């Protein structure tokens, strides 16, 4: 059985910028989760390095919201790669036929939706959900 090749992008330029302003980088916790689950993965420190790895799945832990990042991630997905982002990448919303809604402060997910956690609401510290536009061909959700 072949395991999926997983890459986790934690753009070190974005990390340094956050640290400079005293902002913690909780997003990199995904590495601990993957390691605890026994899933092998490769850290990717620069968005320009994505194409150097032959990945099946790219998890975006932290990345800049800039044209270079948008293009690199878009190119990766166009080549058949799967992108998972649990925060950020709002620049891609329009390309996916979606639009950003207003930012929400601390809250809980909708407990009426049945998902991986059943009817248990999950807490978020901030969210900027996407709304699917009329011409969208992709499902866009982000919390």
């Amino acid at each position: 059985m072949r395991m999926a090749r997983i890459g986790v992008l934690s753009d070190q330029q974005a990390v340094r910028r956050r640290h400079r302003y005293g902002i913690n980088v909780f997003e990199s916790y995904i590495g601990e989760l993957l390691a605890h689950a026994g899933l092998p993965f490769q850290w990717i420190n620069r968005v320009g390095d994505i194409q150097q790895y032959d990945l099946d799945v790219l998890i975006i832990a932290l990345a800049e919201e800039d044209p270079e990042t948008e293009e690199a991630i878009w190119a990766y997905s166009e080549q058949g790669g799967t992108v998972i982002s649990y925060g950020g990448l709002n620049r891609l919303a329009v390309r996916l036929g979606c639009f950003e809604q207003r930012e929400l402060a601390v809250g809980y997910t909708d407990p009426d939706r049945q998902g991986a956690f059943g009817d248990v609401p999950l807490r978020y510290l901030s969210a900027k959900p996407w709304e699917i536009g009329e011409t969208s061909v992709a499902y866009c959700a982000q919390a």
Side-chain angles (χ1 to χ4, degrees):
M1 174 173 61
R2 184 173 91 70
M3 296 273 298
R5 292 177 306 267
I6 302 171
V8 177
L9 175 62
S10 181
D11 190 314
Q12 293 306 294
Q13 178 179 332
V15 169
R16 285 189 298 275
R17 187 173 49 80
R18 284 196 176 190
H19 285 167
R20 186 171 50 243
Y21 294 105
I23 301 171
N24 207 331
V25 184
F26 292 109
E27 294 87 350
S28 57
Y29 185 65
I30 189 69
E32 291 184 41
L33 294 174
L34 292 170
H36 183 73
L39 297 171
F41 67 95
Q42 173 69 48
W43 283 109
I44 301 173
N45 297 320
R46 289 179 347 111
V47 71
D49 294 343
I50 292 171
Q51 296 301 326
Q52 291 181 7
Y53 301 94
D54 184 25
L55 303 173
D56 297 309
V57 177
L58 176 63
I59 299 173
I60 311 299
L62 183 62
E64 296 285 1
E65 289 278 347
D66 61 20
E68 178 189 3
T69 300
E70 177 184 356
E71 288 304 319
I73 293 169
W74 189 263
Y76 167 78
S77 67
E78 280 189 323
Q79 294 170 2
T82 299
V83 177
I84 299 172
S85 174
Y86 59 96
L89 299 187
N90 293 314
R91 290 181 59 98
L92 290 173
V94 173
R95 283 178 104 164
L96 294 170
C98 302
F99 59 91
E100 295 177 57
Q101 293 181 329
R102 66 178 175 81
E103 188 165 346
L104 304 173
V106 177
Y108 291 87
T109 59
D110 183 355
D112 293 333
R113 289 189 174 174
Q114 290 295 320
F117 299 99
D119 61 356
V120 177
L122 297 176
R123 182 175 167 90
Y124 58 84
L125 300 178
S126 74
K128 199 169 202 179
W130 294 359
E131 182 71 31
I132 299 172
E134 291 181 23
T135 60
S136 179
V137 294
Y139 175 77
C140 304
Q142 184 174 347

